[in-house]
Amino acid sequence: MISYIATNSVYSIQQLGLSAAAGGIFAIPYVMALTAIILAITLSLWGLWRYTKAKQGEPRPPLSLPTRLIVTLIAIYPIWFGITYAQIWYSNYQLEQSRLAENLRRFGPLEQTTQFGEMQLVAGTLINRGDPWRFKELPQQDPLLDLEAVRFQEPTAVAGVLAYAMSIEGSSLTIELAQEYQLDTPELSRHCPVGYVLMFPFPDRRIRAKQRLEPPYTWFTPSQWEPTSCFQSTNGVMVMDMNQHGIYFPKDGAPYTPRK
């Protein structure tokens, strides 16, 4: 019992030490910033005081060489910190703008009606893609290049079944049901209510990447595929959108309506 208490006490002390060390590491930038601000204010006030005294006809004695060197060295720190902070801020700003531009390319309404295999996706349909900039060397820059998921503006037939949304990521087509569906396969018989997700495995489990990137995407022939399962999903088929507040998920189990 005593050894158990001793072991736990040592462990607790170690954890406290690690927590304190981690807290100390995270506090370093704040201490550096505070030091730079204090030094900058102090040097500014000191310089202003000397200038005011000189204007009043009471100039202070010139600084000795060692003092000037010390003041110069002290002044370098706030300047260095300010430049470093500005560089970090600008780097983060560029990164954030790059991320925003990528999200705008990937998530949003389709601008023009476009053919996708057997389907015609109408303008205004919400689409999610992989970043098309990865394929900017390709001769074609189709608006459905590297399509991942779709949410329709109204229930739309996919493989003869009305759907609110669909996803073609991975090795299967999944659709969010906008109608009740009776699934009958050799393995199971199941009633699938509205809002359930119905799954169609691709006949060729691995559709080649090149095929996926070739308009008009003739590989997408869901009318020839057979569903194998359906299941309830908390968020249905997850399709993202963007507005002025950032990325969000439109309401599942419903057609796509942009959020203002």
Side-chain angles (χ1 to χ4, degrees):
M1 182 68 177
I2 295 175
S3 62
Y4 173 79
I5 295 173
T7 301
N8 276 274
S9 299
V10 170
Y11 176 76
S12 299
I13 292 170
Q14 288 175 338
Q15 292 301 305
L16 287 171
L18 289 173
S19 300
I25 291 171
F26 285 116
I28 288 175
Y30 297 100
V31 173
M32 292 176 67
L34 183 61
T35 302
I37 292 170
I38 292 173
L39 289 177
I41 293 174
T42 301
L43 288 173
S44 298
L45 291 175
W46 180 65
L48 181 62
W49 173 74
R50 288 181 63 86
Y51 175 77
T52 302
K53 285 295 184 181
K55 293 289 286 183
Q56 293 174 349
E58 302 176 9
R60 310 311 299 162
L63 299 178
S64 64
L65 180 60
T67 304
R68 275 184 285 176
L69 287 174
I70 292 172
V71 171
T72 301
L73 290 173
I74 293 175
I76 287 174
Y77 176 75
I79 295 172
W80 167 82
F81 186 86
I83 293 173
T84 302
Y85 179 82
Q87 289 176 330
I88 294 173
W89 177 87
Y90 185 64
S91 176
N92 289 337
Y93 172 77
Q94 287 182 310
L95 183 63
E96 185 61 31
Q97 291 300 111
S98 175
R99 186 181 296 113
L100 176 61
E102 178 184 336
N103 289 339
L104 287 172
R105 291 192 297 269
R106 295 188 62 189
F107 315 124
L110 183 63
E111 294 182 357
Q112 63 192 61
T113 299
T114 308
Q115 194 70 30
F116 187 76
E118 292 182 343
M119 298 185 64
Q120 189 175 65
L121 301 184
V122 300
T125 300
L126 176 61
I127 62 171
N128 284 187
R129 306 188 292 170
D131 189 357
W133 269 30
R134 292 186 299 153
F135 312 106
K136 59 185 177 181
E137 304 300 327
L138 294 178
Q140 76 275 0
Q141 288 299 311
D142 189 83
L144 297 179
L145 186 66
D146 203 22
L147 184 69
E148 294 178 346
V150 171
R151 183 163 293 278
F152 306 107
Q153 292 177 291
E154 58 184 28
T156 300
V158 183
V161 183
L162 289 180
Y164 289 124
M166 72 175 189
S167 170
I168 56 170
E169 288 191 89
S171 59
S172 63
L173 161 70
T174 53
I175 66 174
E176 184 182 297
L177 291 173
Q179 66 172 73
E180 295 184 352
Y181 184 82
Q182 180 62 39
L183 176 64
D184 292 305
T185 71
E187 290 77 24
L188 63 89
S189 179
R190 185 172 187 182
H191 176 70
C192 309
V194 173
Y196 269 48
V197 173
L198 185 65
M199 178 179 289
F200 297 74
F202 297 151
D204 180 357
R205 300 287 290 181
R206 291 288 180 182
I207 295 174
R208 292 184 296 112
K210 184 179 179 182
Q211 285 182 281
R212 285 179 174 265
L213 301 176
E214 289 180 346
Y217 315 102
T218 54
W219 65 268
F220 185 72
T221 55
S223 65
Q224 302 174 24
W225 304 343
E226 294 294 332
T228 58
S229 64
C230 75
F231 53 90
Q232 186 175 19
S233 173
T234 304
N235 298 308
V237 171
M238 298 175 69
V239 189
M240 291 179 280
D241 194 11
M242 280 198 68
N243 60 13
Q244 67 270 28
H245 304 297
I247 294 175
Y248 72 97
F249 289 98
K251 182 181 178 182
D252 62 283
Y256 168 59
T257 303
R259 182 186 298 174
K260 303 300 182 182

